[in-house]
Amino acid sequence: MNRLIMLFVVTLFSINVLAQPKADLTISTTGNSNLKIKFNGKRINLKDRSATFENINPGNYPLVIFQWQRKANGSNDYVEVYNNNITLTGGKHLEVCILRFGTMAWNEGPIYA
């Protein structure tokens, strides 16, 4: 009987752990320039205007974003426009947008199924 109760408790605990709400992250740009992203140790070249990462465990993650910009001396190169930790909350979708001139805007809302 004790084994049956213990099995039941472990099963409920496992279901609870697996049912934790996940988070989503979208990184986008309003300009025509490419972005390079370093999210949680992975490097991503953003060829389109946005990228969405789904089913991420809630928590703090490092995020570095580089934007292709024209410099004052006429050369072009990637410039770091954001380097900080972001906090992803379970059941929420965080949208980070890099605007045309390198400023950042973000918005967080619920995930709709």
Side-chain angles (χ1 to χ4, degrees), residues 23 57 79:
N57 289 326
V79 176

mmCIF file of all heavy atoms in Angstrom, residues 23 57 79:
data_model
loop_
_atom_site.group_PDB
_atom_site.id
_atom_site.type_symbol
_atom_site.label_atom_id
_atom_site.label_comp_id
_atom_site.label_asym_id
_atom_site.label_seq_id
_atom_site.Cartn_x
_atom_site.Cartn_y
_atom_site.Cartn_z
ATOM 1 N N ALA A 23 7.561 29.844 -21.856
ATOM 2 C CA ALA A 23 7.583 31.223 -22.331
ATOM 3 C C ALA A 23 7.990 31.241 -23.800
ATOM 4 O O ALA A 23 8.586 30.295 -24.304
ATOM 5 C CB ALA A 23 8.561 32.050 -21.505
ATOM 6 N N ASN A 57 11.950 27.496 -21.109
ATOM 7 C CA ASN A 57 11.740 27.468 -19.668
ATOM 8 C C ASN A 57 11.858 28.880 -19.104
ATOM 9 O O ASN A 57 12.760 29.625 -19.486
ATOM 10 C CB ASN A 57 12.758 26.557 -18.983
ATOM 11 C CG ASN A 57 12.506 25.098 -19.277
ATOM 12 O OD1 ASN A 57 11.360 24.676 -19.413
ATOM 13 N ND2 ASN A 57 13.570 24.325 -19.397
ATOM 14 N N VAL A 79 27.163 46.552 -35.082
ATOM 15 C CA VAL A 79 27.321 47.338 -33.868
ATOM 16 C C VAL A 79 26.436 46.722 -32.791
ATOM 17 O O VAL A 79 25.275 46.397 -33.045
ATOM 18 C CB VAL A 79 26.918 48.811 -34.114
ATOM 19 C CG1 VAL A 79 26.981 49.625 -32.841
ATOM 20 C CG2 VAL A 79 27.773 49.416 -35.201
#
